[in-house]
Structures are given as C-alpha cells and as structure tokens.
Amino acid sequence: MTPWSRASIRVRLTTWYTAVLCLMLVVYATATFVAVRHEFFEQLDDQLHDDFETAEGLLAPAADGRIVWSGDRRHDPDNDEDRGTDVWSASGEQIYRSGASASLPPAAVAATTAQVRYESIIADSQHWRTLTGTSLVGRAVVLRVSRSEERLRGQLWEVLIVLVLGLPLVVVLAGVGGYVLARRALAPIDHLASEARRITADRLHERLSVPNQHDEIGRLAGVINETLARLESSFDQLRRFTADASHELRTPLSVIRGIGEAGLAETRTTAEYKEVMGSMLEEVDRLTNLVDTLLRLSHGDAGTVRLSRQAVDLGQLTRDVVSSLGVLAEERQQRLTVNAVDDVSVTADRLVLREAITNIVDNAIKYSPQASTIDIRVHAEANRAVLSVADHGPGIAREHRERIFDRFFRLDAARSRDDGGTGLGLAIARWAVEANGGQVSVDDGPNGGAIFRIVLPLDAPILSNVPPHATTTIGGHS
Ligand code: ADP
C-alpha cells in the first residue's frame, strides 16, 4: 500500500485540487505574462514608429551639408537618456546623432533596405529597441530611432514578480480553503463511521442518524441502515433457529432418557426390555430424521446441494406422491382427489420437488379432520405450472402465512410434535420449490381450510387452459 492510498480522502482531495489549481494558475500566469509582454512591445514599436515619422519630418540638411533638427525642440530627443536618433549617409558615415544612443552599434547600412526593421539590441548591458529604415532627408539616408527597453522591462519584471509571488499565495490560500471545505464536507462520514463502529452484534437494533436523507451521505446512511435491518433480522433468525433447534433436539433426548430410566427402574422381562428399546429407537429415528433435515437445510443455505434438473411431468409426480401417501389418508378415512392435466412439464430435480409435494400433501392429511376431502390439482396457466393442495382443515390465519414457512414455526407445537412433525416440513418445501425456480404460497381454501400452491416455470408455455385430463381418487369414506 502506497502512502498515497493510505492518506485520507480529505488529504487526497485537497492535494488533487491544489495540484490542478496550481497547474491552471501557472498556465494562466504564463499566458497573462506573454500577452502583457506582447502588448508592451507593441506599444514600444508604435512609439518608435511615431518617432521615426517625427524624425523624418523634422530633420533637415543645413547649409553646410550637415543634418540638423529643424523643428520644434520638444521633439528633439537630444536630452533624452532613454532614446536616440541616428542618421547615416548611404556610404555608412554617421551624419547625425542625438539622445542617448551613443552606446549602440551603428546600423548595418549595407543591409538596410527600403523596408523598415525593428530590432532589439543589447549594448553596455542595456536593452534597446530600434527601428531602422531608409529615408529622404535632403538625400537618401539611413535613419534609426531607438528607445531604451529598460523601463518596459522594469514594468514587465514587476508584473512577473506579482504573478510569481501571488501564485503560491493563491495556491496556499486555496489549498487551506479546500482542506477546510473537504473537512467540513467529509465530517459527516467520520461521524457515520464512529456511529457505525458503535453498533456491534448485540446492538443491532440501533440505527445511524440520517440528518438529510436526500444528500449522498443521507443515502449512504440509509443503505447502511437497511443493511443493519437485514443483519438484525438474520441474527434474530439465527438465534431463534439455534434456540429452536436445541429445543427440538432436547425433546427426543429427554424422552430417550425418560424411557431408559423407566426401563432400568425395575427388573423387566425380555419382551418388556425389547419394547423399551423399540421406543428408544423410535425416538432415535426421530432425532436422526431431525438432524438429517437440518443438515439438508444448511446445505441448501450454503448452496452446496447439487440439483439434477430434468423435464418432470408434474401431474405424474403428484400422482406418485399421492399414491405413496394414500395409506396415511386411508388411516384417517380421508379422500385424496387428484385432478391433473397431462403433459404439464417442468424442469426440476425430481427428488427434491417430490419432497416438497410430499411435505405439503402430508401436512394436508395431518391437519385436516378425519373423513375430509383433500383436493389436489395440477394445471398450466400461460407460462406457469400450478400445483394446488386444498384441504378442509383449520386453515392458516393471514398473519401466519409468511412465517409458516420458517424453520420450526408451528401453529400448534404440541399437536404437530405428536403427529411426528419437526416444524421443518414447510421450510424444506419452500427451499425445494425455490431451488427449482418456483414459489410456494398459502391462502384460504375455497371451502374453508388452507390451499397451498406451488408455482413453477412451465417448460412449454401454453396459449389456453387445457381441460383436466385425469382425475384420480384415493381412499375415501362411505
Ligand atoms: P410440522 O412438522 O409441524 O408439520 P411444517 O413446517 O410442515 O411443520 O408446518 C408448520 C406448521 O404449519 C405446522 O406445525 C402447522 O401448524 C401448520 N400447517 C402446515 N400445513 C397446514 C395445513 N394444511 N393446515 C393447517 N395448518 C398447517
């Protein structure tokens, strides 16, 4: 991990911001300096051009052949220390000079054409700007006007100092400002982090405060709160599950212990011992069954169950289940009717789906009164296959309809346990159906009682409902 990635967002933001600002300011300052310099030199060149024209107009040949300043003395640059005028004859002999241009080298007369020429010259460590051109002062001469660049350079230097000194100052001020702003903007995140740190596993009911749910931090706090709510409910479920599982495991163990103690309390005949051991084994079976179911559910949760999915005829599978459970219904003089459309094919793991149907039909038998009817229907609707099991039992109150599929949830624990129920049948059924891409739900039955529905994606969607093909009835009372 680099020190950069270890730095806080605040520091990284400020650094980025300052670096970008610095770059922008350097570009801006450079552009400003170049523009100002260009403007200054343009002004100087304009002044030289004016000087040139003035000199052309006011220099005239004297009677003795010399060139003299004939015009207004105000324009004579003779007394100026920062400008000068020089004239050379065509043969290169200097014939006039005034002002402070003495230190300047003579103009290269031969090279001078009719074109005027601007030049920057350094003489005696002084910068000069000159304008040289040919002119007619009585005769053809070379005229050069010059102005010192020193003042202009001084001004440019001042501009440069302002820019160079101002730049770090602005950057430092902006950096400090940026840091303070970033700190203020990110302070709620620090606050959020310290609040979140406070919420440990045993304080999962607490929530983060959301000062403004519309801004980014408010939305983040909202998402964390939703996650906390889900965590809390998972923790609750886990706690309930552990408590319920221990309770369920303890019951058969205490029964085994009770039977064993009662068996040992007095001397018995071999037949009596066999009976005691038989009862104990029954409880052991119950225990084994419970542990197996729990293990399967936990494999289901972990997603380690390998499903072998294939085309399954739902009607056929339902008839198989009903015929194997028929004996239970017969014991209770119940009538199981199966109304199944042919060729309702779904892609599912046959054994897993069979278990779901078995658990639901088994419940219908267990919780319906004796000599009642249980109607099982299999049909297809658009792109779904629907299996429904309707009984005439007590039904399931609306408030329990979701929880009934939870592990160990029972409406009447004593009765269910007496009937051999573990409270896991519907949990397994839900897992089995969902693992096959379907859904299971419960509703009020058409004739009272409950109706459980398993809905699965249909292999070949149909366009209209096909009438039931076969009705099977098992058991019954006369
Ligand atoms: P159990 O092993 O107790 O049957 P299940 O998970 O299969 O566990 O069912 C959970 C509870 O739902 C049962 O204890 C029972 O109270 C209720 N229940 C399930 N099916 C029916 C039904 N067809 N009619 C009424 N109650 C039912």
Side-chain angles (χ1 to χ4, degrees):
M1 202 184 232
T2 59
W4 173 247
S5 50
R6 259 200 305 270
S8 67
I9 292 184
R10 196 183 314 148
V11 168
R12 276 188 278 168
L13 252 180
T14 312
T15 313
W16 268 113
Y17 163 75
T18 313
V20 171
L21 184 81
C22 194
L23 190 77
M24 276 166 29
L25 283 179
V26 166
V27 171
Y28 177 73
T30 311
T32 307
F33 183 76
V34 168
V36 168
R37 187 177 186 282
H38 182 258
E39 179 60 31
F40 276 13
F41 272 95
E42 222 163 50
Q43 278 178 16
L44 188 65
D45 287 352
D46 284 349
Q47 287 169 350
L48 281 174
H49 185 258
D50 290 348
D51 290 350
F52 194 91
E53 280 184 352
T54 309
E56 263 186 326
L58 297 179
L59 283 173
D64 57 2
R66 283 183 311 116
I67 300 286
V68 292
W69 192 264
S70 66
D72 185 347
R73 294 308 301 172
R74 273 182 304 149
H75 295 294
D76 184 356
D78 212 9
N79 302 321
D80 279 344
E81 285 177 6
D82 61 350
R83 51 184 183 141
T85 307
D86 297 88
V87 181
W88 290 272
S89 66
S91 58
E93 178 196 350
Q94 180 139 30
I95 46 180
Y96 178 80
R97 191 187 66 73
S98 76
S101 61
S103 61
L104 291 181
V109 175
T112 307
T113 62
Q115 286 277 314
V116 289
R117 191 179 67 207
Y118 291 97
E119 267 179 313
S120 286
I121 298 171
I122 303 174
D124 287 349
S125 332
Q126 295 262 319
H127 291 80
W128 290 85
R129 183 86 177 149
T130 63
L131 171 57
T132 314
T134 48
S135 178
L136 274 176
V137 182
R139 55 194 155 131
V141 293
V142 173
L143 172 61
R144 180 176 78 185
V145 286
S146 42
R147 278 183 181 247
S148 166
E149 285 180 5
E150 293 308 316
R151 204 151 58 90
L152 179 148
R153 284 181 178 271
Q155 286 169 341
L156 275 178
W157 188 241
E158 278 166 22
V159 171
L160 194 66
I161 285 178
V162 169
L163 289 176
V164 168
L165 291 186
L167 195 122
L169 196 75
V170 170
V171 169
V172 167
L173 283 179
V176 171
Y179 184 80
V180 170
L181 276 181
R183 220 168 95 137
R184 288 192 72 176
L186 294 173
I189 292 192
D190 275 345
H191 179 66
L192 217 63
S194 64
E195 268 195 311
R197 203 170 296 123
R198 232 186 38 233
I199 302 177
T200 49
D202 44 334
R203 296 172 75 171
L204 277 176
H205 55 279
E206 290 187 17
R207 295 288 176 268
L208 303 178
S209 50
V210 186
N212 176 4
Q213 57 183 1
H214 300 294
D215 65 13
E216 288 81 349
I217 290 163
R219 285 202 294 275
L220 176 66
V223 170
I224 296 178
N225 279 344
E226 280 166 25
T227 312
L228 283 175
R230 280 202 297 274
L231 257 180
E232 188 187 11
S233 112
S234 306
F235 262 69
D236 279 353
Q237 259 179 353
L238 201 69
R239 265 192 216 114
R240 223 180 314 128
F241 178 75
T242 317
D244 289 349
S246 332
H247 179 75
E248 292 300 321
L249 291 168
R250 243 184 42 204
T251 311
L253 283 174
S254 357
V255 173
I256 293 171
R257 188 187 179 92
I259 298 172
E261 282 173 352
L264 284 178
E266 48 194 85
T267 315
R268 294 175 186 272
T269 61
T270 312
E272 281 172 337
Y273 277 127
K274 276 191 174 170
E275 197 183 321
V276 167
M277 288 173 81
S279 311
M280 287 172 90
L281 284 178
E282 251 177 50
E283 286 304 317
V284 171
D285 278 351
R286 221 174 113 77
L287 206 58
T288 315
N289 184 21
L290 183 68
V291 172
D292 281 351
T293 316
L294 280 176
L295 270 178
R296 292 206 3 258
L297 273 171
S298 86
H299 283 312
D301 286 347
T304 50
V305 178
R306 277 182 164 262
L307 297 182
S308 86
R309 300 181 74 180
Q310 53 186 321
V312 175
D313 183 331
L314 195 58
Q316 191 52 51
L317 182 64
T318 309
R319 276 192 283 273
D320 284 357
V321 170
V322 167
S323 73
S324 60
L325 292 180
V327 60
L328 296 178
E330 271 168 27
E331 275 175 15
R332 300 170 58 85
Q333 292 108 48
Q334 289 162 330
R335 211 158 65 100
L336 288 178
T337 66
V338 183
N339 212 321
V341 172
D342 271 347
D343 299 329
V344 176
S345 175
V346 294
T347 301
D349 183 307
R350 192 181 169 82
L351 286 180
V352 170
L353 189 57
R354 184 189 168 98
E355 188 167 14
I357 304 172
T358 305
N359 287 357
I360 288 174
V361 176
D362 184 43
N363 277 349
I365 297 170
K366 270 194 316 199
Y367 300 110
S368 302
Q370 297 227 345
S372 61
T373 307
I374 295 158
D375 296 310
I376 301 163
R377 267 169 56 86
V378 175
H379 68 284
E381 294 176 356
N383 54 356
R384 335 183 288 165
V386 182
L387 163 72
S388 57
V389 179
D391 62 37
H392 288 82
I396 288 154
R398 193 169 292 276
E399 66 269 24
H400 295 135
R401 286 188 192 156
E402 217 9 76
R403 293 204 56 204
I404 205 152
F405 295 98
D406 285 353
R407 292 161 196 193
F408 298 118
F409 183 83
R410 293 167 165 128
L411 291 175
D412 180 352
R415 190 185 149 201
S416 156
R417 203 172 281 120
D418 289 347
D419 286 335
T422 55
L424 295 173
L426 288 180
I428 285 272
R430 177 161 71 177
W431 166 76
V433 172
E434 287 178 356
N436 282 302
Q439 275 176 334
V440 59
S441 60
V442 63
D443 239 314
D444 282 332
N447 321 302
I451 179 163
F452 281 82
R453 275 198 196 84
I454 293 178
V455 177
L456 289 157
L458 197 60
D459 277 351
I462 51 155
L463 296 174
S464 61
N465 276 0
V466 181
H469 181 266
T471 304
T472 320
T473 304
I474 291 184
H477 50 98
S478 48

